[in-house]
């Protein structure tokens, strides 16, 4: 790591780690931003002029305080603590600038179709000539190798969920398959991207050698399928959609109360506690049979009794009674419920910070919580190219004349 740093006051468990992030939209940049919340120095590279146009403007927006283009709430939440620069990789001077950053970085994360960066002379071997220890994490829809037709394809969150196998199981059997919202496949991919990059960094620091990591979006999603594929390979069984119901036991589902909805589950000994809570006798063999024989007479009867018991009571009462009985149960929360919930408040799950484009905002705090080296939000998201001077000038030592030339020629 170079002696110069961009963060004035080091913090968090990842202080001293520098990541250069060159992807767009969700999965890979979100992985880098999570690291930035834990103290890593993250340099996010965007296209000159427009930046990451999709994520900066996609969905709901807030007005910019300088009268400029409105900013997406997604971008405001997910580009905190990040240094944003612009760079055109297709130009030779852009390639050289990137190599200077890579020489000073611990990790390079990128998301593109395989072959994109090699076309610009930025294959892994070339980058390792300037930094043998760098960890290079490639994030793509289908991976860096495999069937040629697949690796040439592009992907989005919903496509990854479809190909990875979660979408087929999500939803109710009488309805079409449903994606998990809001961008669950991409967020899964981000988690795999971050932990694997840090694992690679651990190895590089121990052995002095960096390596390349191939994160395929569909594989990250597929890895979360539990025993689904064993069921197919060993039993020929295809796991189907079952709504919110558990498979092979009950209850595990959503239930309508007198004024809303709750979710609950009762496995093993918890099931007996639920029986007592709703006035049934755990010693009665038919209720024990009902637990796993869902389609039997007693199974259907138990489900009807439980749903009737829940439907007669308001949500707050159901949640109180079942949790007092140590039966896992929660209200199905919307954003208003969450904002007003005392536990969210007690754990300071929502905080305010200054976004440099729209002003003071309130959103989600850093997760998880460290006892000795907590993460923090020291700066909000910034405009396109906001940190060009700080990175190219202060870190790389480029003069004002050089920066003006690079900007004039569209390199930055």
């Amino acid at each position: 790591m170079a002696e110069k740093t961009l963060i004035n006051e080091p913090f968090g468990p990842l202080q001293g780690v520098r990541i250069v992030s060159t992807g767009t939209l969700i999965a890979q940049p979100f992985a880098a931003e999570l690291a930035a919340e834990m103290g890593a120095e993250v340099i996010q590279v965007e296209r000159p002029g427009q930046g990451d146009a999709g994520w900066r403007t996609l969905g709901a927006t807030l007005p910019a305080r300088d009268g400029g283009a409105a900013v997406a709430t997604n971008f405001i939440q997910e580009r905190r603590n990040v240094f944003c620069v612009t760079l055109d990789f297709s130009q030779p001077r852009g390639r050289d600038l990137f190599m200077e950053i890579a020489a000073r970085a611990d990790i390079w994360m990128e998301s593109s179709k395989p072959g994109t960066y090699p076309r610009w002379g930025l294959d892994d071997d070339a980058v390792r000539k300037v930094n043998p220890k760098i960890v290079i994490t490639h994030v793509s829809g289908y991976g860096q190798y495999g069937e040629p037709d697949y690796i040439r394809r592009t992907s989005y969150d919903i496509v990854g969920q479809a190909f990875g196998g979660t979408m087929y199981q999500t939803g109710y059997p009488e309805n079409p398959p449903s994606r998990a919202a809001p961008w669950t496949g991409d967020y899964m991919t981000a988690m795999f991207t971050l932990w694997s990059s840090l694992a690679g960094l651990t190895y590089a620091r121990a052995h002095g050698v960096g390596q390349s990591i191939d994160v395929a979006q569909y594989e990250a999603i597929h890895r979360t399928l539990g025993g689904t594929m064993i069921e197919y390979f060993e039993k020929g069984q295809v796991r189907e959609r079952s709504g919110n119901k558990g498979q092979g036991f009950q209850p595990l589902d959503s239930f309508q109360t007198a004024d809303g909805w709750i979710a609950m589950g009762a496995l093993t000994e918890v099931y007996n506690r639920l029986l007592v809570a709703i006035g049934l006798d755990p010693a009665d063999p038919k209720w024990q049979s009902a637990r796993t024989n869902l389609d039997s007479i007693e199974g259907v009867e138990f489900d009807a009794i439980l749903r009737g018991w829940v439907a007669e009571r308001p949500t707050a009462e159901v949640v109180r009674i079942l949790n007092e009985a140590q039966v896992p149960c929660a209200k199905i929360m919307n954003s208003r419920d969450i904002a007003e919930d005392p536990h969210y408040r007690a754990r300071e799950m929502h905080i305010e910070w200054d976004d440099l484009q729209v002003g003071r905002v309130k959103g989600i705090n850093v997760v998880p919580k460290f006892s000795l080296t907590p993460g923090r939000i020291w700066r909000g998201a910034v405009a396109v190219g906001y940190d060009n001077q700080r990175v190219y000038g202060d870190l790389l030592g480029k003069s004002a004349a050089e920066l003006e030339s690079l900007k004039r020629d569209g390199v930055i």
Side-chain angles (χ1 to χ4, degrees), residues 215-408:
V215 179
Q217 177 197 47
Y218 87 92
E219 289 178 345
I221 294 168
H222 188 71
R223 182 59 183 85
T224 67
L225 289 182
T228 293
M229 296 312 298
I230 295 176
E231 292 162 16
Y232 176 75
F233 288 126
E234 301 303 322
K235 300 174 65 177
Q237 178 178 327
V238 174
R239 191 181 291 191
E240 301 288 345
R241 290 185 297 286
S242 59
N244 295 323
K245 278 183 173 293
Q247 295 190 352
F249 62 89
Q250 67 173 335
L252 184 74
D253 206 344
S254 57
F255 297 82
Q256 189 166 16
T257 68
D259 60 356
W261 288 85
I262 59 99
M264 83 162 85
L267 314 181
T268 62
E269 69 276 3
V270 178
Y271 178 77
N272 288 338
R273 296 203 290 266
L274 173 64
L275 293 177
V276 173
I278 65 173
L280 299 179
D281 183 4
D284 190 331
K286 78 174 184 177
W287 301 134
Q288 294 303 320
S289 174
R291 183 169 63 88
T292 54
N293 297 305
L294 279 62
D295 295 327
S296 66
I297 294 174
E298 55 267 28
V300 173
E301 182 181 359
F302 170 76
D303 181 70
I305 290 172
L306 177 58
R307 291 186 184 279
W309 184 90
V310 172
E312 292 172 352
R313 293 164 172 80
T315 300
E317 181 180 344
V318 174
V319 171
R320 177 184 59 78
I321 292 173
L322 294 186
N323 278 287
E324 286 178 354
Q326 290 292 288
V327 175
C329 172
K331 178 180 180 179
I332 297 178
M333 309 276 274
N334 61 31
S335 51
R336 182 182 297 106
D337 297 326
I338 289 169
E340 296 174 354
D341 186 81
H343 191 61
Y344 275 90
R345 290 178 178 175
R347 289 180 59 83
E348 299 179 311
M349 197 56 248
H350 303 117
I351 60 166
E352 293 184 349
W353 69 90
D354 289 315
D355 184 88
L356 276 67
Q357 300 169 95
V358 305
R360 195 74 173 169
V361 295
K362 188 172 185 178
I364 300 172
N365 202 348
V366 177
V367 176
K369 297 168 171 62
F370 281 63
S371 63
L372 298 180
T373 55
R376 74 170 70 147
I377 303 305
W378 66 270
R379 192 181 77 170
V382 298
V384 177
Y386 182 89
D387 294 300
N388 281 354
Q389 169 62 47
R390 196 165 188 176
V391 173
Y392 298 133
D394 299 344
L395 181 63
L396 301 187
K398 305 301 178 185
S399 67
E402 287 178 290
L403 292 177
E404 180 58 35
S405 174
L406 291 166
K407 182 177 182 180
R408 183 177 61 249

Side-chain angles (χ1 to χ4, degrees), residues 95-96 98-105 108 121-136 208-212:
R95 174 188 178 280
D96 293 343
F98 176 77
M99 285 296 200
E100 290 189 53
I101 297 174
R104 296 163 168 82
W108 170 29
L122 294 172
D123 59 86
D124 292 9
D125 290 340
V127 175
R128 287 217 171 80
K129 287 180 180 178
V130 301
N131 185 353
K133 295 182 180 180
I134 194 169
V135 176
I136 302 175
V209 179
Q211 61 185 297
S212 298

Side-chain angles (χ1 to χ4, degrees), residues 7 11-15 17-46 52 55-56 72-84 107-111 139 186-187 189-191 193-195 197-198 349 351 353-355 361 363-368 370 374-382:
I7 298 175
F11 69 94
L14 295 182
Q15 57 185 283
V17 175
R18 178 176 289 152
I19 300 172
V20 55
S21 166
T22 61
T24 59
L25 292 174
I26 308 174
Q28 184 269 291
F30 182 59
E33 194 267 354
L34 288 176
E37 292 183 356
M38 291 297 173
E41 184 182 289
V42 173
I43 299 171
Q44 178 66 50
V45 179
E46 300 180 90
D52 187 353
W55 205 233
R56 283 182 174 273
T73 56
N74 292 318
F75 193 88
I76 293 168
Q77 178 68 55
E78 296 180 0
R79 292 297 186 275
R80 304 178 297 185
N81 289 7
V82 171
F83 297 94
C84 290
I107 299 169
W108 170 29
M109 298 178 179
E110 68 88 12
S111 60
V139 183
D186 274 333
Y187 291 130
T189 306
M191 302 304 174
T193 299
L194 182 54
W195 84 251
S197 298
L198 295 177
M349 197 56 248
I351 60 166
W353 69 90
D354 289 315
D355 184 88
V361 295
I364 300 172
N365 202 348
V366 177
V367 176
F370 281 63
R376 74 170 70 147
I377 303 305
W378 66 270
R379 192 181 77 170
V382 298

Side-chain angles (χ1 to χ4, degrees), residues 147-191:
E147 287 291 326
D149 174 56
Y150 284 88
I151 62 174
R152 287 194 294 264
R153 297 178 183 181
T154 56
S155 185
Y156 282 129
D157 169 81
I158 193 171
V159 175
Q161 291 190 45
F163 192 74
T166 57
M167 192 169 173
Y168 183 83
Q169 296 183 38
T170 304
Y172 288 83
E174 65 272 18
N175 294 325
S178 177
R179 72 180 177 95
W183 315 106
T184 305
D186 274 333
Y187 291 130
M188 287 179 184
T189 306
M191 302 304 174

